[in-house]
Amino acid sequence: MTPFRDPVFVRLWLGNTAAGTATAALPVLLALAVLGRGGSVTLLGLAIAARTVGYVALTPVAGVLADRLPRRRMIQAASMAAATGTFVLAVTVDGASSLVLAAALLAGAGQGSYRPTYQAALADVVAEGQHQAANALSTLGARGSAVLAPAIAAGLTAWIGARPVLAASSALWLIALAAPAMTPPALTDRPEATVRRTRMFSDFILGVREARRHRWFFPVLAVLATQLATGYAATSVLLPLISRDRFGGTGMLATALTSFTVGALLGALLLAKWHPRHPGLIAMLGLALYAGVPLALAVSTERFPVLAAYVLAGIGVELFNVPWYTAIQREVPPPLRARVSSLDFLVSYGLAPVGIALIGPAAEAVGRTPVLISCAVVCLVGPLVAVTDRRIRNFRRSPPSRPRSPDGDRF
């Protein structure tokens, strides 16, 4: 049975796709709104930073609350926060800087609260044997919207202006808010293991302890965080400069990012049907494919190798993401899933701003090419070392010993 035959999943999927569209459009619309009204690049940078701070800071809090409270309520609260923050941004974008930053912080907090709650809710409403397919379909919706949202946002902005489009985009979060309105008990009951009143920090530590029980979790997370803080950070900072200096404008920047998203769609389509025997092995090899991006940017003077590297990296990212999310949903008990998912987002994305801040000075000190090649080596070596551990190759506490289901391997 495909997850799309389940109306509850379809509603959640539509809400997640709407949320992904709003999230992908926000940076473009914010830049057009701030700069188009005569705002400074400094204000734009601070607003983006405030959105990131809100995202990272609220992720662990949301993980605890989503395990304490009905997940339907948490999805709705996160969606309302993101919708309100986005709408206030549209209203205040040419007003006081403090209001702009507060609105960006609120929008980021809503986005950061939504992600771990959705991942936990998805596992609640979809049968275990369908988790991988559901994760792949969620990625298809989110990635597909990421391809279209910036272009649509820019086109509408040229027609009616950035502020009205930014305000209208907040309505997408209302779709995400309404999506779980009719849900089964899995999303409306309080999780049975968290009814007792405990402190927020203590609840979060329970999630950390659960994550430590799975010996593959933190080693993989360390590899992922390192890659985001090196390879992803380097390409994010240096791709715009290389696009301008080597390829004569911003066209290469847009094409490369589109190529990455196309690759991600291909990866998600592949995993919607393919269930690899060793999901962790495939995931880590997929993660290693990102090494081709900084390497191509370092050595290639032609467009094709760079674009091909981005397509392969996009495929690889989803070869990692789908088995990784599915393993967390399978291995972690339902009352702790949101906390463990929030720990994933917190650690993996928490170090990325540090890398982004350091890449620029490093490139100025030793040059772009040495920095990019060094990041490529890190991106390649980390995943290959990780797969020497059998638990990581299978994303299980121990090698699988349970009998297969009638439909074959779980992965």
Side-chain angles (χ1 to χ4, degrees):
M1 174 179 174
T2 174
F4 269 141
R5 294 181 181 176
D6 181 353
V8 176
F9 169 76
V10 171
R11 285 194 292 271
L12 285 176
W13 181 87
L14 288 172
N16 185 62
T17 301
T21 303
T23 300
L26 181 61
V28 176
L29 290 171
L30 184 58
L32 293 173
V34 170
L35 301 179
R37 308 289 287 190
S40 67
V41 176
T42 300
L43 175 60
L44 175 60
L46 289 173
I48 294 174
R51 177 260 174 194
T52 304
V53 169
Y55 188 102
V56 173
L58 263 291
T59 294
V61 176
V64 172
L65 292 178
D67 283 335
R68 279 183 174 184
L69 303 172
R71 285 171 180 149
R72 178 182 69 176
R73 189 185 305 171
M74 280 299 301
I75 288 176
Q76 292 173 332
S79 301
M80 179 58 72
T84 302
T86 304
F87 185 81
V88 174
L89 268 175
V91 174
T92 63
V93 72
D94 56 352
S97 298
S98 58
L99 293 176
V100 174
L101 299 184
L105 187 73
L106 180 60
Q111 293 172 4
S113 300
Y114 182 87
R115 286 291 299 276
T117 307
Y118 175 78
Q119 288 301 133
L122 190 67
D124 290 341
V125 302
V126 176
E128 183 177 347
Q130 294 294 316
H131 283 174
Q132 180 174 318
N135 285 315
L137 292 171
S138 295
T139 293
L140 284 171
R143 293 293 187 182
S145 65
V147 172
L148 300 175
I152 293 174
L156 289 175
T157 297
W159 181 32
I160 61 176
R163 290 180 65 184
V165 180
L166 186 58
S169 71
S170 66
L172 292 169
W173 282 105
L174 300 182
I175 297 175
L177 184 151
M182 297 176 60
T183 54
L187 292 189
T188 56
D189 290 346
R190 289 177 61 89
E192 57 184 285
T194 55
V195 172
R196 66 184 186 280
R197 294 183 179 274
T198 56
R199 292 178 299 177
M200 183 74 66
F201 181 75
S202 299
D203 272 8
F204 183 70
I205 293 301
L206 288 176
V208 175
R209 289 175 180 169
E210 171 62 24
R212 289 180 60 189
R213 256 187 357 107
H214 307 278
R215 298 296 181 87
W216 47 270
F217 183 85
F218 277 113
V220 174
L221 197 55
V223 172
L224 177 60
T226 301
Q227 188 169 96
L228 288 171
T230 56
Y232 173 79
T235 54
S236 297
V237 172
L238 298 179
L239 174 61
L241 300 177
I242 292 172
S243 177
R244 181 195 66 191
D245 298 342
R246 189 184 303 169
F247 298 105
T250 60
M252 186 61 179
L253 170 62
T255 306
L257 296 179
T258 300
S259 298
F260 179 83
T261 305
V262 168
L265 288 170
L266 294 174
L269 280 171
L270 176 63
L271 284 175
K273 293 293 185 182
W274 179 41
H275 296 260
R277 183 175 180 82
H278 300 287
L281 174 63
I282 297 301
M284 300 312 288
L285 292 179
L287 207 59
L289 288 176
Y290 199 88
V293 172
L295 181 62
L297 290 174
V299 302
S300 178
T301 59
E302 301 294 331
R303 293 175 180 267
F304 178 77
V306 175
L307 298 181
Y310 268 99
V311 171
L312 289 175
I315 294 173
V317 162
E318 294 312 324
L319 290 180
F320 173 83
N321 279 341
V322 173
W324 173 250
Y325 294 149
T326 306
I328 293 173
Q329 292 164 346
R330 181 192 65 233
E331 299 289 312
V332 177
L336 294 168
R337 278 177 185 153
R339 269 170 279 188
V340 174
S341 292
S342 72
L343 185 63
D344 166 22
F345 295 124
L346 175 66
V347 174
S348 59
Y349 288 101
L351 292 179
V354 178
I356 290 173
L358 295 177
I359 287 297
E364 290 179 354
V366 300
R368 298 175 191 173
T369 298
V371 168
L372 287 167
I373 291 177
S374 298
C375 290
V377 172
V378 171
C379 291
L380 180 64
V381 171
L384 296 184
V385 170
V387 294
T388 60
D389 187 328
R390 292 185 66 190
R391 291 168 301 195
I392 291 177
R393 290 202 297 270
N394 295 293
F395 280 170
R396 295 178 185 271
R397 295 179 63 190
S398 59
S401 58
R402 289 176 289 180
R404 299 179 183 178
S405 67
D407 296 327
D409 289 342
R410 292 185 184 276
F411 294 93

